[in-house]
Amino acid sequence: MGKKHEALTSPTLFYCFLDFAIGTGTSPFTYIVPAPVVAQTLAECHQAWLALPGAKSQPHNDSEFRRFLPDYSHLRMAKYEDGWLAPYREAWGLLQPSG
């Protein structure tokens, strides 16, 4: 994803991320994630990544590229460890119009 996705926060915009579950013996499934959640996650996790040293202890270079992952435990952010996306797994009901 890109830096621009950090600014896309419309409450009527959703992302559908398909997990092919390769090698797990499980069928593919989808995460339905509201844009504000994606935007916040990308911003927070990118900043955490920038703050960590690289493989040779050098600073990371900022870029337009962002990664949306089901597990950010490598960033030492408990909020985004494995399982944080569980509430959005097959959450098709989020797409129902309110009212």
Side-chain angles (χ1 to χ4, degrees):
M1 300 189 81
K3 182 177 181 176
K4 68 180 180 182
H5 294 101
E6 292 179 4
L8 298 175
T9 58
S10 170
T12 59
L13 176 64
F14 291 82
Y15 294 91
C16 297
F17 296 100
L18 183 59
D19 188 328
F20 288 101
I22 295 172
T24 65
T26 308
S27 296
F29 54 89
T30 306
Y31 293 108
I32 313 302
V33 188
V37 172
V38 172
Q40 180 179 357
T41 303
L42 292 175
E44 290 179 6
C45 292
H46 185 70
Q47 289 306 308
W49 176 78
L50 285 173
L52 290 176
K56 298 178 183 175
S57 298
Q58 81 284 8
H60 286 120
N61 294 321
D62 199 359
S63 73
E64 298 291 312
F65 182 74
R66 304 291 186 265
R67 296 183 72 198
F68 189 80
L69 301 171
D71 181 5
Y72 289 97
S73 57
H74 66 285
L75 298 178
R76 296 181 217 113
M77 297 178 71
K79 180 178 178 180
Y80 297 111
E81 288 183 354
D82 190 30
W84 80 271
L85 272 176
Y88 305 105
R89 184 175 173 156
E90 299 296 342
W92 296 100
L94 293 175
L95 303 178
Q96 299 299 318
S98 60

